[in-house]
Amino acid sequence: MIRGPGSRAPTPPSGAAPARRGAGQPPPDGQTEQVAAVEQVVYVERAASIDQVTPTDQVTPTDQVTPTDQVTPVDQVTPVDQVTPVDRVTPVDQVTSTDQVTSADQVTSILRWYASHARDLPWRRADASAWAVLVSEIMLQQTPVTRVMPAYEAWLVRWPTPPALAAASPADAVRQWGRLGYPRRALRLHAAARVISERHGGELPSSIDALLALPGVGSYTAAAVASFAFGQRHPVLDTNVRRVLARMAAGRQWPARSPTAAEAALARSLLPARPEVAARWSVAVMELGALVCTAGRPRCGTCPVAAACAWRLAGSPASNGRRGGQPYQGTDRQCRGRLLAILRDADAPVPPSHLDAAWPDDAQRGRALASLIADGLAEHHPDGGYALPAHPPADRPQVPATP
């Protein structure tokens, strides 16, 4: 699909615009998303892995925040009465623990609920470009929507297209990212913009394989962008969706810590056949998890599938599986954040003495600074100072650090 900067994908049949998902979750303190094959199912545990993004110290852990609210505005949603549920749902022949679920009814009920409850966010709108969808997906990893909104809008005002960002320096990207948290995401977006500009004529590619080849884009993000920006048919499983399916179909309060084959089969079985409806279904069940079937206080009384929810019918039994919050105060993550804030606010290389004053523990400060350099978020200058990266990694001069 060839699209100009700021353009939208062709309007799908029946007048529906491609669905948009929402916030963040992302995902986790790993460096790659944990699913290898998008064609099989795409999911992410945003508390453990964020498309190759190593968390830094800008964000206090929010294990209850799962960015999954990117949705197409209600006026862009194809009326549910145009969907013939039985014709559009693959039989659930490979799924265990689904006897309480009538898949066609569940899909129809959730789509109908979504049509009247979808929230209006800028990345869901018809005029949002594929680039804007990618920016939102990256920003929403492990970050609440309320924090993402101003950063997203400011980012796209400054860099509305990939070539615009590619022409800037990595330091500009990190500064613009500000205190959004997990700043390696800024470097990943900058690197992706360069690849898009050099290999794809400045246009975000629409194929899963091409998306997966972009820096910082793992299987979850590739499927999400393909679905929400280009209206394609891919299962998109994030933490919210996994929680909804675990409760609705398997009768468990929490999904397994790692995705299972049964979970993947269930996601595939519920995916509507029409691509534009499949994309809308993916964002609808994410929205249900974000607004109703929440981690902390599920609002079962307002859930459109409560009558057939296996977990509710079993009495909502408690189960293990939810991870506790990660400590932040006094950690290397906090130290990294403090050092990075000093580099971000400086217009010139920062003398080591300024960094020394920012954190009292010499050993911890040394570890944090070394990790910032290793992650490409800081550079050591010949004069002995430190600064944000002025060049992409491939173009960066190698300067040995002072012992």
Side-chain angles (χ1 to χ4, degrees), residues 1-10 18 20 126-131 133 200-204 206 225 228-231:
M1 175 179 299
I2 304 299
R3 301 170 52 191
S7 65
R8 294 290 309 142
R20 296 274 190 263
D127 62 349
S129 66
W131 168 244
V133 174
H200 301 284
E203 299 293 329
L204 191 70
S206 61
V225 172
F228 306 141
F230 298 106

Side-chain angles (χ1 to χ4, degrees), residues 233-321:
R233 184 182 185 271
H234 301 285
V236 183
L237 254 173
D238 73 344
T239 303
N240 278 344
V241 176
R242 295 186 64 220
R243 184 173 61 251
V244 170
L245 297 186
R247 292 172 180 176
M248 181 180 75
R252 296 193 306 270
Q253 183 180 16
W254 310 112
R257 288 184 177 270
S258 299
T260 65
E263 193 175 36
L266 177 59
R268 278 194 300 271
S269 74
L270 293 174
L271 196 64
R274 285 172 53 197
E276 71 276 11
V277 180
R280 191 160 62 252
W281 156 255
S282 294
V283 75
V285 72
M286 285 180 180
E287 187 79 329
L288 184 68
L291 299 181
V292 175
C293 193
T294 59
R297 297 180 180 179
R299 299 164 53 205
C300 298
T302 63
C303 179
V305 292
C309 175
W311 183 59
R312 182 174 176 272
L313 292 173
S316 305
S319 62
N320 295 327

Side-chain angles (χ1 to χ4, degrees), residues 69-384:
D69 353 338
Q70 292 157 308
V71 193
T72 304
V74 174
D75 60 357
Q76 299 175 21
V77 176
T78 303
V80 176
D81 59 7
Q82 296 182 19
V83 178
T84 307
V86 175
D87 292 341
R88 307 196 190 288
V89 180
T90 305
V92 189
D93 55 0
Q94 300 180 23
V95 183
T96 59
S97 302
T98 57
D99 50 314
Q100 297 99 332
V101 178
T102 303
S103 58
D105 292 342
Q106 300 294 67
V107 170
T108 302
S109 296
I110 291 175
L111 283 172
R112 184 177 290 117
W113 172 87
Y114 170 76
S116 59
H117 291 82
R119 292 174 290 175
D120 179 22
L121 294 174
W123 47 84
R124 305 171 185 169
R125 297 170 187 161
D127 62 349
S129 66
W131 168 244
V133 174
L134 176 61
V135 170
S136 71
E137 282 292 334
I138 299 298
M139 286 189 169
L140 286 162
Q141 295 166 354
Q142 193 73 359
T143 309
V145 171
T146 53
R147 295 189 63 200
V148 166
M149 287 279 285
Y152 165 89
E153 292 171 346
W155 187 278
L156 289 176
V157 166
R158 185 170 183 179
W159 299 306
T161 64
L165 176 57
S169 72
D172 290 335
V174 174
R175 284 196 177 91
Q176 183 66 41
W177 196 262
R179 296 184 180 275
L180 190 60
Y182 304 100
R184 283 193 69 193
R185 293 180 292 176
L187 296 180
R188 298 292 186 184
L189 266 177
H190 182 270
R194 294 190 72 196
V195 172
I196 294 167
S197 300
E198 294 167 2
R199 302 180 188 174
H200 301 284
E203 299 293 329
L204 191 70
S206 61
S207 75
I208 286 287
D209 289 343
L211 288 168
L212 283 170
L214 297 177
V217 174
S219 54
Y220 167 80
T221 300
V225 172
S227 297
F228 306 141
F230 298 106
Q232 297 176 16
R233 184 182 185 271
H234 301 285
V236 183
L237 254 173
D238 73 344
T239 303
N240 278 344
V241 176
R242 295 186 64 220
R243 184 173 61 251
V244 170
L245 297 186
R247 292 172 180 176
M248 181 180 75
R252 296 193 306 270
Q253 183 180 16
W254 310 112
R257 288 184 177 270
S258 299
T260 65
E263 193 175 36
L266 177 59
R268 278 194 300 271
S269 74
L270 293 174
L271 196 64
R274 285 172 53 197
E276 71 276 11
V277 180
R280 191 160 62 252
W281 156 255
S282 294
V283 75
V285 72
M286 285 180 180
E287 187 79 329
L288 184 68
L291 299 181
V292 175
C293 193
T294 59
R297 297 180 180 179
R299 299 164 53 205
C300 298
T302 63
C303 179
V305 292
C309 175
W311 183 59
R312 182 174 176 272
L313 292 173
S316 305
S319 62
N320 295 327
R322 187 178 179 187
R323 297 176 179 176
Q326 299 175 348
Y328 179 73
Q329 193 69 25
T331 63
D332 284 7
R333 293 178 57 231
Q334 185 183 25
C335 181
R336 278 172 55 106
R338 193 165 295 179
L339 299 181
L340 187 62
I342 293 173
L343 300 181
R344 188 176 56 241
D345 294 340
D347 295 327
V350 175
S353 59
H354 290 190
L355 299 179
D356 293 345
W359 196 265
D361 187 320
D362 291 345
Q364 191 174 31
R365 187 178 62 252
R367 281 197 311 272
L369 182 57
S371 69
L372 288 174
I373 294 173
D375 288 345
L377 289 165
E379 291 180 348
H380 183 259
H381 282 243
D383 62 2

